[in-house]
Amino acid sequence: MSDAVNRSLRSDDPHHFRDVMLRRLEPAKHRRLEANSLDEALFRWLRWLRGAGRAESTVTAYATDAWQFLIWMQLEAGIDPDPSELTPARLQDFHAYLGHRGLSQATVCRKLGALSGFFKYLIRDGQMQANPLDAVPRSRPKNGRVVWMPEEEAQQVLDAIDDPLERSVFLTLYRTGLRKGELLQLRLDDVDLQEGMLTVEAQKTQSVRHVPLSAELITCLGDYLERRPACSHDAFFVTDARHVPLYSTLLQRWFTRWMTEAGLADKGYTIHTLRHSAATNWIRSGLHVAEVRHLLGHSSLETTSRYLHHAPDEIRAKVDRITFEEQESESSPKGEEQTDEVIDAQERIATQLADAAEAADAELIAALTKALQAVRAT
């Protein structure tokens, strides 16, 4: 579907885009939907997103979420889609509709976020004065546990893959934490095997970051490059059959097959799981959450902190290595053993730090770390 949506956006025909979106509906509903001005506005907004370099998967997701709202206006609320009808009350009703469908808080938040972007475009286009979602209470979901693929399961996948191209694609995703769109956009100049560095132009955040390559990944990519077919374009990953750049639907087919052949089809893993896995492995290996934030290209530390819950034992071990230096003072001569109160305080803070890691609470972790330093200074 992603390819069909983005192909329709390459043309200058909003009717083609509408036809593509209508294919997702039952034929009986087609007759109840009428073309409207917001259809064309949505088409222009999505084309603008493509021109701004947003990933095709992102554009498709936004198209799906905004289109769902336009359908809801006509089929559920009985309203003609028009900018004048985009009121806070209307958006509150849609918010409730999404909740009644049993969608998760994260999914609802994502859908309303897509709509907010669409409304901001309408404001810039002069069709609206204010964003109606600004007056709709929306609570962001707390960062919960993320699904990740342990090392032993990743090895199962590698053992099931023989093709050098597919092995290099899987290991790149698993070791570098690239988003799918970032992987598909890689060019030859972005991969420096001599320096062991990957340059990533993040479409989602419009930024550039540098990700070190592990020794095993350098070897794997080197094996692939020796077999990479000669072609006129500079895409890094090139399919063997037609010598075209790797594309989204082929990558998804590969991933589905990998999971099946590795015996992991029932795990519910997705391509994005590999990004979570890279982050989790970095945290567990001892990288600071701020370093992982940079490697992933996150705009906020809060987003990265959700990976902390995977490493409570590692964080506890670091806390346990903290010792109290002997302090010189008139009331506590050098060499005097620590009091029970100080030892108890250390143990309490260590426990709280592990709990904070389990909850992925970066602010609490920082506060408890300062508390430990204060206790050491007493």
Side-chain angles (χ1 to χ4, degrees):
M1 185 64 190
S2 176
D3 291 342
V5 170
N6 281 276
R7 280 197 300 270
S8 72
L9 295 173
R10 295 189 191 109
S11 70
D12 196 25
D13 184 4
H15 300 292
H16 182 202
F17 164 74
R18 188 172 187 275
D19 289 341
V20 169
M21 301 305 293
L22 283 173
R23 292 173 198 164
R24 310 183 73 178
L25 297 177
E26 300 171 5
K29 293 183 178 180
H30 292 190
R31 294 186 293 272
R32 299 172 57 193
L33 292 172
E34 297 181 359
N36 55 81
S37 61
L38 288 182
D39 280 351
E40 294 193 16
L42 175 60
F43 175 76
R44 293 195 302 272
W45 175 55
L46 296 171
R47 278 176 56 86
W48 176 82
L49 289 176
R50 277 181 52 83
R54 302 306 292 269
E56 290 191 353
S57 57
T58 299
V59 173
T60 300
Y62 285 177
T64 301
D65 293 336
W67 182 256
Q68 180 185 19
F69 173 68
L70 298 184
I71 292 174
W72 172 83
M73 291 185 74
Q74 291 192 61
L75 300 187
E76 302 291 338
I79 305 162
D80 181 30
D82 184 84
S84 63
E85 296 289 349
L86 302 178
T87 63
R90 200 75 71 202
L91 270 299
Q92 286 178 335
D93 290 342
F94 182 64
H95 191 181
Y97 165 79
L98 294 176
H100 291 154
R101 294 190 64 203
L103 301 177
S104 68
Q105 188 178 2
T107 299
V108 172
C109 185
R110 189 206 74 215
K111 289 179 176 293
L112 295 180
L115 279 179
S116 183
F118 180 38
F119 297 156
K120 289 176 182 178
Y121 174 82
L122 293 176
I123 293 172
R124 290 194 299 270
D125 199 40
Q127 299 189 51
M128 295 175 62
Q129 298 299 317
N131 188 339
L133 279 170
D134 289 344
V136 178
R138 289 179 287 161
S139 57
R140 291 184 60 84
K142 293 183 178 180
N143 286 329
R145 286 184 174 273
V146 293
V147 177
W148 69 293
M149 181 185 294
E151 292 271 349
E152 59 269 20
E153 293 184 349
Q155 188 61 55
Q156 288 177 228
V157 177
L158 284 173
D159 291 343
I161 303 175
D162 295 324
D163 182 70
L165 167 59
E166 294 185 35
R167 287 178 63 87
S168 63
V169 168
F170 172 79
L171 198 57
T172 298
L173 289 167
Y174 189 77
R175 289 299 186 207
T176 66
L178 294 187
R179 301 177 178 93
K180 180 175 69 173
E182 294 169 347
L183 177 96
L184 299 178
Q185 293 298 318
L186 279 180
R187 297 292 177 261
L188 289 171
D189 290 344
D190 296 330
V191 184
D192 189 339
L193 297 185
Q194 293 295 324
E195 296 294 331
M197 193 66 67
L198 192 69
T199 300
V200 185
E201 295 187 11
Q203 295 178 330
K204 185 172 182 179
T205 58
Q206 298 296 298
S207 61
V208 176
R209 67 183 190 275
H210 302 282
V211 181
L213 302 175
S214 64
E216 62 175 343
L217 182 52
I218 291 175
T219 300
C220 185
L221 293 178
D223 290 343
Y224 156 68
L225 284 177
E226 291 180 359
R227 297 169 173 80
R228 179 185 181 274
C231 46
S232 59
H233 55 78
D234 64 347
F236 187 83
F237 291 115
V238 180
T239 63
D240 293 330
R242 294 185 291 150
H243 298 180
V244 298
L246 178 62
Y247 51 96
S248 179
T249 52
L250 178 59
L251 176 58
Q252 185 59 57
R253 288 201 298 270
W254 284 356
F255 185 84
T256 301
R257 174 165 50 79
W258 296 341
M259 296 303 102
T260 300
E261 294 179 353
L264 303 175
D266 61 341
K267 292 285 188 174
Y269 293 149
T270 66
I271 293 174
H272 203 69
T273 299
L274 303 183
R275 175 171 167 84
H276 295 323
S277 303
T280 300
N281 288 332
W282 286 330
I283 290 289
R284 292 176 66 88
S285 66
L287 267 67
H288 189 277
V289 65
E291 296 171 321
V292 176
R293 171 192 175 187
H294 167 74
L295 293 174
L296 292 175
H298 284 161
S299 57
S300 71
L301 197 62
E302 178 186 3
T303 303
T304 314
S305 68
R306 59 184 166 163
Y307 299 107
L308 289 171
H309 68 76
H310 286 303
D313 294 337
E314 288 79 357
I315 292 178
R316 182 184 290 276
K318 291 181 180 180
V319 171
D320 288 341
R321 290 197 295 269
I322 299 176
T323 60
F324 293 94
E325 298 177 357
E326 297 172 343
Q327 303 294 324
E328 291 187 49
S329 67
E330 294 181 359
S331 60
S332 179
K334 184 175 182 178
E336 184 177 334
E337 293 184 358
Q338 297 168 354
T339 66
D340 290 341
E341 289 81 7
V342 171
I343 295 174
D344 288 344
Q346 179 186 13
E347 292 179 351
R348 286 197 304 272
I349 295 175
T351 300
Q352 292 170 7
L353 264 170
D355 291 341
E358 181 71 19
D361 192 331
E363 292 185 2
L364 182 56
I365 290 172
L368 290 171
T369 302
K370 290 182 179 179
L372 268 177
Q373 295 171 345
V375 172
R376 292 182 66 183
T378 59

